Amino acid sequence: MEAFPEESQWRLLTSAGLREDFQAAWIEGGDIGEIAAGLGVDPATTLECDLATALRWSGADACTPVIWMGRHSPGWTFALVVAGSVLDLSLPDRRVLDLCYLREIDEFYGVGGLHDRTGLGDLRLKDQGDEDDLDPHLVAVGRVTGRFIDRDWLAERRTLCRVPVGVMAS
């Protein structure tokens, strides 16, 4: 794997339609059904779709958290919050790389635990910052998970899920 992706990770995401707040988590584990169950998702209320379809939910009722989740790389699942408030997507006994960007105040909260990891010192990671500081964190996540975001990744279908209110809200 290369040390840097071919394209800016954040630019790829925004060109795919991310225009609002951004909260995503890379959850260790490849069994999406098991991870969804851990988040309290009812499998009867899910929809397989692409990112463009998932993002149409971004204006949905803020009281009902909605995530778009699926395979990121072998051993890692990706979850993007497309509607609702900021969620705690941590699960017991799983490593979770969580990144949150609040566009209204132009502030992000970096992925915890990355500063101490070997092989990431060249990225100059910050705990907090603005939109310009997002890409290094996305590159770091790509290195840890073994896959950067690319156009093929963006084209993949994943599962749109409603997270029961109160189950994971923080």
Side-chain angles (χ1 to χ4, degrees), residues 67-121:
I67 59 174
W68 183 64
M69 66 181 289
R71 183 181 183 277
H72 173 69
S73 63
W76 288 92
T77 297
F78 174 76
L80 172 69
V81 177
V82 295
S85 58
V86 174
L87 297 176
D88 176 4
L89 295 172
S90 60
L91 292 168
D93 303 322
R94 291 189 189 271
R95 186 167 43 155
V96 176
L97 308 174
D98 192 7
L99 182 62
C100 182
Y101 172 63
L102 305 172
R103 183 172 295 282
E104 185 175 302
I105 59 173
D106 190 27
E107 186 169 282
F108 91 97
Y109 302 95
V111 180
L114 290 183
H115 299 323
D116 301 333
R117 292 195 55 109
T118 305
L120 301 179

Side-chain angles (χ1 to χ4, degrees), residues 124-140:
R124 296 176 182 40
L125 300 172
K126 300 177 180 179
D127 289 329
Q128 290 182 284
D130 59 21
E131 187 170 4
D132 294 334
D133 298 308
L134 284 168
D135 213 54
H137 278 267
L138 291 166
V139 170

Side-chain angles (χ1 to χ4, degrees), residues 18-170:
L18 288 168
R19 302 279 184 261
E20 303 300 323
D21 293 347
F22 175 74
Q23 184 191 359
W26 291 260
I27 303 166
E28 192 170 35
D31 187 333
I32 296 160
E34 185 179 299
I35 291 170
L39 295 172
V41 171
D42 177 356
T45 64
T46 63
L47 170 71
E48 296 295 316
C49 66
D50 61 8
L51 180 58
T53 302
L55 290 175
R56 290 188 194 125
W57 284 81
S58 66
D61 176 15
C63 294
T64 305
V66 178
I67 59 174
W68 183 64
M69 66 181 289
R71 183 181 183 277
H72 173 69
S73 63
W76 288 92
T77 297
F78 174 76
L80 172 69
V81 177
V82 295
S85 58
V86 174
L87 297 176
D88 176 4
L89 295 172
S90 60
L91 292 168
D93 303 322
R94 291 189 189 271
R95 186 167 43 155
V96 176
L97 308 174
D98 192 7
L99 182 62
C100 182
Y101 172 63
L102 305 172
R103 183 172 295 282
E104 185 175 302
I105 59 173
D106 190 27
E107 186 169 282
F108 91 97
Y109 302 95
V111 180
L114 290 183
H115 299 323
D116 301 333
R117 292 195 55 109
T118 305
L120 301 179
D122 62 322
L123 296 175
R124 296 176 182 40
L125 300 172
K126 300 177 180 179
D127 289 329
Q128 290 182 284
D130 59 21
E131 187 170 4
D132 294 334
D133 298 308
L134 284 168
D135 213 54
H137 278 267
L138 291 166
V139 170
V141 167
R143 289 183 189 176
V144 171
T145 63
R147 182 174 186 185
F148 295 122
I149 296 168
D150 56 31
R151 294 185 189 280
D152 289 339
W153 185 95
L154 288 170
E156 290 178 20
R157 294 172 64 86
R158 293 181 173 81
T159 305
L160 194 64
C161 313
R162 287 191 171 129
V163 179
V165 175
V167 171
M168 301 300 289
S170 63

